[in-house]
Amino acid sequence: MRILFGLVTAGMIALPGALAAQETINLTIASSHPTVIPWVGMMKTHFMAKADELLAKTGNYKIEWNEAFGGQLYKANATLTSVEEGITDIGWVFSFLEPSKLPLSQASSYAPFATVNPPFQLEVMEDLMESNEALRHEWEQYNLKVLGLTSTDMYDIYTKTPLKGIDDVKGIKLSAPGVLGTWLRGTGANAVDGSLTSFYTDIQTGISDGVLSLALGALPAKLYEVAPYINRFDVGVAFSGAVAINKDSWDGLPEEVQTAMIEAGKYYTVAHGKDLLERHEAALNKMVELGTSQNPPVEIIKMSDEQRQAWVDKLPDIAGDWAADLEGKGLPAKAFLKAYMDGLRTKGEKPMRNWDE
């Protein structure tokens, strides 16, 4: 009994010291968009959760997360600078809205109809982020360490009135996020810059007649309420940004925490790509279901392959123009575009237009 009592007593004495050995690290994680947007919500359910899970295995460190999602700290036009300047330690950087600072990251935005497979595209971009020095420098020069990547599901045109084909967009105003407005060049539509956080109001107030948007963003943003006609062109997917950490914050983290975050970022990227692929159809169907009783009800208008090709044929050489402009500024855009397109083709994708040729 005395031996047992001694062991228990020793354990009680040692316990406070063991608990004190665990270091708590305070980090702010934020976004311009709310967690109902799938890739933002997954920052919490996948990236943060996986990092916590990995660190709990040793118990040496615990992260105390200060969450500031949904534009609490900054809006969509300040996602890069807010991480760069340490307004948040970790944040989703919306590369669509940073064409001047993240030019090479826009490659997929100038190559529509190249792939409808988010997991493949994310794999290609992850490989390039690790192997392409120019792309990596593009992010790191702004005091950023990239942890996880984001893409989009397929883009379609949501309008207040139905379309019969791509010719019907001539003369109408369509909101589009940043550089994706280039996908409307040659169609006769007038691109209006905006994001998921502004699209609903844009249509409601007449700033635009519809939007070029994606199902997983349109559903939580309830775009179907003001633009009930989903004109399905399956334009393709695009690299949209990254979950990144301020480099100064990163450098101050213990190696074990850094390792956990790198693994959590890769887990987030893979899960996000799979989620985009699986939930796209479900999101479209859900919008039809939710919009059954509204007037007019939500309707999906499936465009033919001929109409998709007609859109492709209307587009000028937007990728060539983009690459030539950047080459003039000393950036290896042509080589990067080829690497991106080669990466897709290596995975078996068959772009409707080989933008690098």
Side-chain angles (χ1 to χ4, degrees):
M1 284 293 291
R2 287 182 179 178
I3 295 174
L4 179 60
F5 178 78
L7 289 173
V8 172
T9 303
M12 292 175 66
I13 294 172
L15 187 59
L19 290 175
Q22 184 182 66
E23 182 180 341
T24 298
I25 297 172
N26 292 292
L27 289 174
T28 296
I29 185 166
S31 72
S32 55
H33 290 48
T35 53
V36 292
I37 303 298
W39 55 93
V40 176
M42 292 180 75
M43 291 171 66
K44 183 178 176 71
T45 60
H46 288 69
F47 174 75
M48 293 165 59
K50 176 58 75 171
D52 289 342
E53 174 191 328
L54 293 170
L55 292 176
K57 290 181 179 180
T58 65
N60 294 326
Y61 301 97
K62 180 181 184 301
I63 298 176
E64 188 69 36
W65 299 100
N66 174 32
E67 301 175 22
F69 297 112
Q72 295 179 49
L73 291 180
Y74 52 85
K75 302 304 178 185
N77 63 349
T79 61
L80 188 152
T81 55
S82 295
V83 181
E84 177 188 12
E85 296 169 4
I87 293 172
T88 182
D89 296 299
I90 301 172
W92 175 57
V93 177
F94 194 8
S95 61
F96 278 174
L97 302 188
E98 299 290 353
S100 61
K101 291 186 175 181
L102 301 172
L104 294 178
S105 297
Q106 314 302 322
S108 65
S109 301
Y110 290 91
F113 297 98
T115 178
V116 294
N117 194 318
F120 281 0
Q121 188 198 56
L122 285 168
E123 288 175 17
V124 170
M125 289 302 297
E126 192 171 48
D127 289 344
L128 289 171
M129 192 67 75
E130 293 176 358
S131 64
N132 189 280
E133 184 177 348
L135 179 64
R136 192 169 58 251
H137 171 71
E138 180 169 281
W139 287 77
E140 291 180 351
Q141 67 179 321
Y142 295 109
N143 203 32
L144 304 176
K145 164 71 177 175
V146 171
L147 297 172
L149 305 181
T150 62
S151 183
T152 70
D153 56 313
M154 286 181 285
Y155 274 81
D156 296 301
I157 297 177
Y158 295 67
T159 52
K160 293 189 287 189
T161 57
L163 304 179
K164 294 179 181 178
I166 192 61
D167 285 342
D168 288 350
V169 304
K170 185 176 182 179
I172 72 172
K173 297 173 291 184
L174 293 175
S175 291
V179 296
L180 291 197
T182 59
W183 293 4
L184 299 173
R185 285 177 58 189
T187 66
N190 299 305
V192 178
D193 192 24
S195 68
L196 279 170
T197 56
S198 68
F199 284 164
Y200 191 104
T201 304
D202 287 350
I203 301 169
Q204 194 176 42
T205 59
I207 291 175
S208 62
D209 303 302
V211 299
L212 175 65
S213 193
L214 65 175
L216 290 185
L219 174 59
K222 299 182 179 181
L223 297 184
Y224 57 88
E225 292 182 350
V226 289
Y229 296 100
I230 305 172
N231 306 280
R232 186 167 179 179
F233 284 93
D234 293 348
V235 184
V237 302
F239 175 65
S240 62
V243 175
I245 184 170
N246 175 277
K247 188 62 165 55
D248 297 326
S249 299
W250 174 257
D251 290 341
L253 295 176
E255 184 177 353
E256 181 181 332
V257 178
Q258 291 181 340
T259 300
M261 285 201 169
I262 289 173
E263 187 172 336
K266 291 182 178 297
Y267 171 72
Y268 167 90
T269 301
V270 171
H272 167 58
K274 183 179 179 182
D275 181 69
L276 287 172
L277 194 63
E278 292 177 348
R279 291 175 57 183
H280 177 75
E281 298 298 326
L284 288 171
N285 293 333
K286 187 64 176 179
M287 284 187 280
V288 172
E289 176 190 333
L290 292 173
T292 299
S293 60
Q294 71 181 46
N295 186 24
V298 175
E299 179 183 352
I300 295 177
I301 302 171
K302 176 68 174 176
M303 295 296 166
S304 65
D305 289 342
E306 289 75 18
Q307 281 300 322
R308 296 181 72 232
Q309 188 63 52
W311 188 343
V312 175
D313 293 343
K314 283 179 179 291
L315 291 168
D317 186 14
I318 56 176
D321 293 345
W322 165 80
D325 178 63
L326 294 185
E327 290 282 340
K329 298 175 182 177
L331 293 172
K334 291 181 180 178
F336 184 79
L337 178 63
K338 180 171 176 29
Y340 171 70
M341 296 297 293
D342 281 346
L344 292 177
R345 288 186 289 252
T346 298
K347 292 186 177 296
E349 294 296 272
K350 297 179 180 179
M352 291 184 68
R353 183 165 171 173
N354 290 314
W355 294 100
D356 56 328
E357 295 178 359

